[in-house]
Amino acid sequence: MSEQIRVFLVDDQELVRAGFRMLIDAQPDLTVVGEAGDGGEALERLAVTRCDVVLMDVRMPRLDGVETTRRLAERPDAPQVIVLTTFDLDEYAFAAIRAGAAAFLLKDATPETLLGAIRTVHAGDSVVAPSTTRRLLEHFATALPDPAAATPADDRLDPLTERERETLVLVGRGLTNAEIAAEFVVSEATVKTHIGRLLAKTGSRDRVQLVVLAYDVGLVRP
């Protein structure tokens, strides 16, 4: 059996953590390596605990999940963070995605969805569909930069080729790789190459961050 995926739990409700622990530890490829009741405690424990994926509640005392995610993302070899929230389109989840979270899930997600999210994030993909991220950004459009100040001339786009810019626009609009391939009349493998170069050139961690970037620089607007 391949090495287990190490999961760390951060939630201020002990009963919630216990439920997650039972679910995760029942899987042969997953294991819980630690837990914390708030963001401050999580940062302390994660400084000495190796893990691959963090399940992060957003509303906690002392230090919330948004700031905790931001500080974790600044660390070398930072774990992937899955944000868990009670409310759909929660402004906390929106902020956490911009802070570096790789996934956004509701707490009432099915066990299969949660387990699949852990595995998907560990594999390097983002769980939040680009279309879902787009809905988040559109819902909280007032939190975005002023469109007059965010234009396609943003210097973060300077390293990109014309085709990579076009790809970023379509990613920002929520298209899948298959849909982008159809738009460009190329193979999905070619699209994956474009996405990989976009991630490298923009310093984005995943596809979700590319969607945020597309809005930030004004290539896509609500």
Side-chain angles (χ1 to χ4, degrees):
M1 185 178 69
S2 60
E3 186 176 350
Q4 289 182 309
I5 299 172
R6 298 162 298 189
V7 182
F8 192 95
L9 310 176
V10 186
D11 197 293
D12 61 336
Q13 298 184 45
E14 186 173 351
L15 187 59
V16 171
R17 298 199 307 271
F20 285 152
R21 178 183 284 275
M22 289 179 60
L23 175 65
I24 292 168
D25 281 343
Q27 309 304 308
D29 60 331
L30 307 176
T31 184
V32 174
V33 295
E35 58 183 72
D38 61 65
E41 182 184 6
L43 290 174
E44 293 173 2
R45 296 193 176 185
L46 285 169
V48 294
T49 303
R50 292 180 59 208
C51 80
D52 303 303
V53 178
V54 176
L55 294 186
M56 180 79 70
D57 188 20
V58 289
R59 302 191 182 199
M60 297 180 292
R62 288 185 57 198
L63 192 67
D64 65 30
V66 176
E67 183 60 27
T68 305
T69 297
R70 181 177 293 108
R71 295 187 191 181
L72 276 179
E74 294 173 348
R75 295 182 177 181
D77 300 320
Q80 298 281 21
V81 175
I82 297 176
V83 173
L84 298 170
T85 183
T86 305
F87 305 102
D88 193 10
L89 293 178
D90 191 316
E91 67 274 15
Y92 283 85
F94 164 79
I97 285 175
R98 301 198 64 169
F104 160 71
L105 288 177
L106 297 180
K107 281 189 175 180
D108 63 0
T110 65
E112 293 75 16
T113 298
L114 177 62
L115 295 172
I118 294 171
R119 296 181 178 109
T120 300
V121 161
H122 181 252
D125 295 323
S126 58
V127 175
V128 183
S131 58
T132 303
T133 308
R134 186 185 62 210
R135 284 196 303 115
L136 276 169
L137 291 169
E138 290 176 348
H139 187 79
F140 296 107
T142 55
L144 294 171
D146 183 348
T151 71
D154 192 293
D155 58 10
R156 286 174 288 180
L157 300 179
D158 289 347
L160 305 184
T161 65
E162 186 61 32
R163 179 44 61 95
E164 288 165 354
R165 287 190 183 212
E166 294 171 350
T167 303
L168 181 58
V169 170
L170 297 183
V171 170
R173 290 177 179 168
L175 273 66
T176 65
N177 284 358
E179 291 168 337
I180 295 173
E183 183 82 13
F184 290 157
V185 194
V186 298
S187 69
E188 284 192 53
T190 298
V191 174
K192 289 180 180 178
T193 297
H194 291 324
I195 298 294
R197 288 173 179 167
L198 278 172
L199 292 171
K201 289 183 178 181
T202 63
S204 301
R205 295 185 64 184
D206 51 44
R207 196 183 188 101
V208 169
Q209 293 297 303
L210 288 179
V211 176
V212 173
L213 174 65
Y215 274 83
D216 274 347
V217 300
L219 285 176
V220 179
R221 294 176 182 170

